[in-house]
Amino acid sequence: MNTSTVGQDIYRFIEELYPICRSITGDGFRTSLEIMAKYIPLELYKVPSGTQVLDWVVPREWNIRDAYIKNSAGTKIVDFHQSNLHVLNYSTPINKKMDLRKLKEHLFSLPEHEDWIPYRTSYYEENWGFCVTDKLLKSLQEDEYEVCIDSSLEDGYLTYGEYYLPGALEDEFLISCHCCHPSMCNDNLSGMGLSMQLAKTLSQQKLRYSYRFLFIPGTIGSITWLAVNRHQTSKIRHGLVVACVGDPGKLHYKKTRHGDAEIDRASMHVLRHSGQEHGIIDFVPYGYDERQYSSPGFDLPVGCLSRTPHGQFPQYHTSADNLDFITVDALGDSFEKYLEVIHVIEGNKYYWNTNPFGEPQLGKRGLYGAFGGRKDANLLEMAMLWVLNLSDGEHSLLDVADVSRMPFQIILETAEILLKQGLLRE
Ligand code: ZN
């Protein structure tokens, strides 16, 4: 597969969804899922406001139509239709005139980046506000301002999207991404785009595991999903939270709570053999929805594969996390790594050497010197010896790859050849 083509597809999808004002509930979130449903057969689920979910309650639904600040001359100095980040996400409605001092209590800016608009939310505490550039904030004069936020906060639903792709096993691989941020590309949209592309690609492959893709609002979405699906979380054998996969920074893998799950080993294996600089991060109970999946009651093996981790790039949660910040190459490269990790997990089986007393004679089976035409012939022969030696029912192919320090793909290919020759059995 051509990664730049995939990167372009993901980028185009991000462009399509970028203008929509999303939040943890409401029309923007639903519209985004409806667009995704054009590409993959996504099931939409609705959970009513007020529903108790674990220790939380599904909040009222937030919708917004317009918001602005006008000066006394009637000029709009802040306009929601210019950037949906201008409104404090989940702002209660307001339509009032006020002086500068009063207005300033509800304005947020970023003094360290005077041209950027910050992204702020107030989901669980009723408030209203505007996010503006620091340049604008500093230019405001004493005046009577007209403040309007045409929003509603009413009983409705929390919506989430789910796509289940059945494989040979009932055991599941969970792919989860948050979809609740307004116009921001790396945090949120890149994860949605990559997950969707992964769903499309995997739906055309023969799979051992079943895959469950979740498109949810951050925190409250994973908590709601876990509450609704409590009885079936034990099927989840591996999981990845997808976020921040479009910036040009190096890849990072954040380990699961236990740190030695198969998904940890597969992800670290892929990064180690990528030849690219990368980072490995130990589990911390902070970050994206892996926090909820990794709460001790559920304790699911869910890691997070990202590029620059959240909060560690200056554009994080600002208007600068835009279409210029993410790149086609980074998106394509991240996608490729996700697919490689999945292929490791898919192919990571245990085998028995059917001829374990002494080395089987490879020459008479046409396996010695059989790869003469290939550049990696020596590697393949070495891999054959490793696979035969460690296939004692106790070492998986990933174990063989790690012990031999060879790429998983070579070990897998070798195992398939040996299997065909009857020298291995599952
Ligand atoms: Zn975020």
Side-chain angles (χ1 to χ4, degrees):
M1 194 174 320
N2 186 330
T3 52
S4 87
T5 311
V6 178
Q8 273 160 10
D9 284 351
I10 300 173
Y11 191 92
R12 265 195 293 273
F13 168 81
I14 293 172
E15 272 181 317
E16 188 179 356
L17 268 74
Y18 180 68
I20 301 172
C21 181
R22 279 163 292 272
S23 184
I24 53 173
T25 63
D27 293 334
F29 191 98
R30 262 190 300 272
T31 304
S32 302
L33 293 189
E34 282 158 11
I35 292 173
M36 300 188 88
K38 291 192 304 190
Y39 301 98
I40 53 171
L42 201 60
E43 297 253 15
L44 269 52
Y45 293 87
K46 296 191 327 188
V47 181
S49 305
T51 306
Q52 181 80 35
V53 283
L54 307 179
D55 197 41
W56 297 56
V57 176
V58 172
R60 286 182 293 167
E61 185 178 318
W62 185 68
N63 281 294
I64 179 149
R65 290 156 290 276
D66 195 12
Y68 57 82
I69 303 172
K70 275 184 188 170
N71 61 20
S72 59
T75 308
K76 274 188 191 174
I77 54 164
V78 178
D79 185 356
F80 168 74
H81 293 292
Q82 296 275 318
S83 166
N84 55 40
L85 297 185
H86 275 316
V87 170
L88 175 74
N89 204 283
Y90 250 69
S91 272
T92 48
I94 187 166
N95 196 344
K96 235 184 189 165
K97 291 192 171 161
M98 62 188 69
D99 63 19
L100 182 61
R101 192 191 55 81
K102 183 79 196 139
L103 176 62
K104 271 188 169 171
E105 289 171 15
H106 294 268
L107 297 183
F108 306 93
S109 74
L110 279 174
E112 61 275 29
H113 295 284
E114 59 169 18
D115 291 320
W116 296 0
I117 306 163
Y119 161 57
R120 293 283 174 88
T121 65
S122 191
Y123 302 139
Y124 304 107
E125 196 182 325
E126 282 196 20
N127 195 6
W128 65 268
F130 284 88
C131 302
V132 297
T133 64
D134 202 54
K135 211 182 241 172
L136 180 109
L137 181 71
K138 285 190 177 130
S139 74
L140 292 180
Q141 310 279 319
E142 206 47 71
D143 198 355
E144 188 184 52
Y145 291 97
E146 182 190 336
V147 172
C148 169
I149 298 177
D150 179 14
S151 65
S152 57
L153 199 51
E154 292 162 349
D155 280 345
Y157 296 92
L158 177 149
T159 312
Y160 65 86
E162 198 169 334
Y163 173 46
Y164 179 71
L165 186 56
L169 300 174
E170 284 209 344
D171 293 349
E172 290 181 11
F173 195 131
L174 182 76
I175 304 277
S176 174
C177 67
H178 65 291
C179 312
C180 51
H181 292 18
S183 294
M184 265 175 294
C185 288
N186 198 35
D187 184 8
N188 186 89
L189 283 174
S190 71
M192 291 165 71
L194 189 143
S195 301
M196 198 187 71
Q197 194 65 39
L198 215 47
K200 267 165 71 177
T201 303
L202 292 179
S203 70
Q204 285 152 25
Q205 298 183 359
K206 196 165 168 256
L207 300 166
R208 185 156 71 108
Y209 287 99
S210 295
Y211 288 76
R212 192 176 294 278
F213 291 85
L214 299 185
F215 298 93
I216 52 178
T219 308
I220 189 69
S222 48
I223 282 171
T224 300
W225 188 86
L226 286 165
V228 173
N229 296 280
R230 203 167 184 160
H231 56 285
Q232 54 167 0
T233 57
S234 59
K235 287 185 193 161
I236 296 169
R237 294 277 176 269
H238 322 282
L240 285 173
V241 163
V242 192
C244 300
V245 287
D247 70 277
K250 63 183 183 185
L251 284 153
H252 284 80
Y253 176 70
K254 176 184 166 182
K255 292 187 197 175
T256 67
R257 186 166 177 259
H258 293 274
D260 59 354
E262 202 175 333
I263 187 67
D264 295 317
R265 297 193 43 222
S267 303
M268 291 191 285
H269 179 91
V270 167
L271 292 182
R272 198 161 52 237
H273 285 274
S274 67
Q276 294 167 219
E277 223 188 296
H278 62 271
I280 304 290
I281 305 164
D282 284 329
F283 177 79
V284 277
Y286 184 69
Y288 289 114
D289 287 307
E290 69 276 8
R291 296 155 70 159
Q292 312 309 332
Y293 303 126
S294 303
S295 53
F298 291 106
D299 196 16
L300 301 174
V302 178
C304 179
L305 181 56
S306 68
R307 301 198 79 86
T308 309
H310 72 97
Q312 294 184 19
F313 47 96
Q315 296 85 347
Y316 175 74
H317 280 192
T318 76
S319 55
D321 183 357
N322 58 23
L323 289 163
D324 296 329
F325 179 50
I326 55 166
T327 72
V328 166
D329 287 349
L331 290 164
D333 180 61
S334 303
F335 174 82
E336 186 181 66
K337 299 302 182 292
Y338 265 86
L339 207 53
E340 281 178 31
V341 170
I342 287 171
H343 285 163
V344 171
I345 295 278
E346 282 284 320
N348 188 28
K349 296 185 189 169
Y350 289 80
Y351 292 95
W352 289 91
N353 178 341
T354 57
N355 203 332
F357 297 100
E359 277 178 15
Q361 199 184 347
L362 299 176
K364 73 176 181 196
R365 293 177 172 87
L367 293 175
Y368 199 71
F371 313 108
R374 290 182 54 157
K375 264 201 240 144
D376 54 357
N378 287 345
L379 198 63
L380 272 168
E381 278 176 11
M382 206 53 212
M384 222 164 357
L385 298 178
W386 274 113
V387 172
L388 285 168
N389 190 282
L390 290 179
S391 289
D392 51 6
E394 281 173 28
H395 294 87
S396 71
L397 289 188
L398 183 54
D399 293 327
V400 181
D402 281 345
V403 172
S404 67
R405 297 170 191 248
M406 289 190 191
F408 183 83
Q409 202 46 43
I410 297 279
I411 297 295
L412 179 67
E413 206 181 315
T414 306
E416 280 163 0
I417 294 167
L418 294 172
L419 203 59
K420 247 185 228 151
Q421 290 288 332
L423 289 171
L424 287 186
R425 65 180 166 83
E426 256 192 86

